[in-house]
Each structure stands twice: as structure tokens, then as C-alpha cells.
Amino acid sequence: MKDIDAIAVLQDPVRRRLYEYVVAQGREVGRNEAAEAAGVARTLAAHHLDKLTQVGLLESGSRRLTGRSGPGAGRPAKVYTRARVERSVSLPARDYRTAAELLAEAAEQAGLDAVLCAAARRRGEGLRGSAEPCGGLEEAVEVLAARGYEPHVEASGGVEGGAPVVRMRNCPFHAVAERFPPLVCGMNLALLEGLIGADGPVRARMDARPGECCVVLEDSKNNEH
């Protein structure tokens, strides 16, 4: 029941705002920054952040936020990031992860990658329904956010001034993707192609980066030659 206890902690509205802010940043967040974002006093923010750490929803560490070192750099400050552990609750108990892993293992051994990708693309198209393909990256961000991918826009290659791309901090299939990366990442790419519309102005492609979804979205015009 530990997962239930951890999730129950988020019932407090201030605690939930703090958690969501830390998660959305995708980096270490200090107490002052979190308090300002949530509109609460630093001491209250510290209490809630430590509680979130205690139940395993956040991880904490310490570093100098000034970027300086040596004498006069100040004491290290406590910082927080989202915990790597995955939490889920099902009443009554269900074990969909084991079923997904068994199916992935069977598909991989049988060489059903192409069949799986075709099914995933059809599922994405079905989820999109009668809607037109995404008209741009902003619309794609809304679609992905609704499905839990936690998208954010950044410059291509991390270079300032580069063409914008949409990266996703969360992979909904992370647990299975860790065991069967080529199979599940290919499935995810096909699913997103169907969801955003392969014939629209937004293109999905593979660009794996540690700790994030393996797929990125970009304006297809940026790849015309």
C-alpha cells in the first residue's frame, strides 16, 4: 500500500503545486524557486518538499545555486528532482506490466516489429479520430500533454537559435521500453505518427536521450532540402 500512501500525499493542494512545478522543470529546483512558483513562504515550501521526498515522490540533494565555488561561494542549498521510481495504484490489484513484457518478448522473438508498428500507427490514427493532423508544434504539445508525455519545446541540438523541437520528459511505456528498447521505441514512434498525422506539418523521429522519451517532434519544413 506504499504507492497509495505516496499518492495520497498529493491531496494537499500546495504540495501538489510544488510537486508539479519540480516535475515540469526537468532539472534540480531549489526551495526559494519552488516557494516563489507555488506562491508560498519558503519555510512552508521546505516542509512540503521534504514530505514529498520522505514518501519517495521527489529526490533531494545539495549544491551551490550560485555556480561559484571556494571561499565566499556560500553554503550548498537543498535541491529537488522527481524520483526515478514509478508509482501506480490499482484496486483490485492488477499486473498489466507483466502481461505487456510477456507480449513484447513474444513479439520480439517472433520478429513481429513491423506488425506491431502497423497496429500502433492504426491505434494512433484511431485516437486522433476525425481530427486533422496537428497543424504545428504548439498543437502537438497539447496533444502529447493530454497523453502524459510531458512535452517541452527546446532548440534543436540544444543550440540557441536552432530550430525548435518537442522533447518529452516522460515515456508512458518506460518500464517495458527499458527491457525491449528497439521494439517498444519503434512502436511508440509509429503510435505518435498516427496520433499527430504523418501527412501534416509535424514530423516524428527517433532521437533517444537518457531519461526522456526516445521520440522527438519537429517542423517537417526544417528537413526539406
Side-chain angles (χ1 to χ4, degrees):
M1 300 294 283
K2 289 183 178 180
D3 283 358
I4 294 178
D5 294 337
I7 293 172
V9 166
L10 295 174
Q11 286 184 322
D12 183 285
V14 174
R15 203 171 286 162
R16 187 181 184 91
R17 290 204 304 274
L18 287 165
Y19 175 76
E20 290 176 343
Y21 179 78
V22 172
V23 167
Q25 304 318 300
R27 55 173 173 78
E28 294 176 329
V29 175
R31 287 172 168 176
N32 288 338
E33 179 186 348
E36 183 177 352
V40 298
R42 182 183 184 279
T43 52
L44 181 60
H47 166 74
H48 286 308
L49 290 167
D50 286 341
K51 181 64 177 179
L52 290 165
T53 302
Q54 180 184 338
V55 300
L57 292 175
L58 296 180
E59 294 178 353
S60 64
S62 62
R63 67 177 178 86
R64 288 187 173 91
L65 298 178
T66 62
R68 303 196 306 271
S69 60
R75 296 176 59 186
K78 200 163 188 180
V79 292
Y80 303 84
T81 56
R82 175 164 51 186
R84 296 177 180 86
V85 66
E86 184 176 310
R87 302 285 183 179
S88 63
V89 175
S90 178
L91 297 174
R94 296 288 187 262
D95 190 6
Y96 299 115
R97 176 173 171 174
T98 296
E101 290 178 348
L102 288 170
L103 290 169
E105 182 178 355
E108 189 174 72
Q109 292 179 352
L112 297 177
D113 304 55
V115 176
L116 177 62
C117 286
R121 190 171 289 104
R122 289 195 299 271
R123 173 59 63 91
E125 292 169 349
L127 292 171
R128 180 161 52 90
S130 60
E132 293 293 321
C134 289
L137 293 183
E138 289 187 7
E139 185 178 343
V141 165
E142 293 181 5
V143 171
L144 294 170
R147 302 206 64 80
Y149 281 92
E150 298 181 8
H152 66 284
V153 180
E154 66 175 45
S156 179
V159 179
E160 186 176 353
V165 298
V166 176
R167 288 190 174 272
M168 294 163 270
R169 293 195 176 99
N170 181 50
C171 172
F173 316 109
H174 174 72
V176 186
E178 277 195 318
R179 288 197 57 189
F180 308 95
L183 181 76
V184 178
C185 290
M187 176 200 75
N188 188 29
L189 174 62
L191 176 70
L192 291 176
E193 286 175 339
L195 186 62
I196 66 174
D199 298 327
V202 179
R203 183 177 83 106
R205 64 176 174 84
M206 290 286 214
D207 188 12
R209 191 161 75 178
E212 295 192 349
C213 177
C214 59
V215 179
V216 299
L217 304 184
E218 60 190 3
D219 189 330
S220 58
K221 294 180 181 178
N222 294 329
N223 295 279
E224 294 179 354
H225 299 286

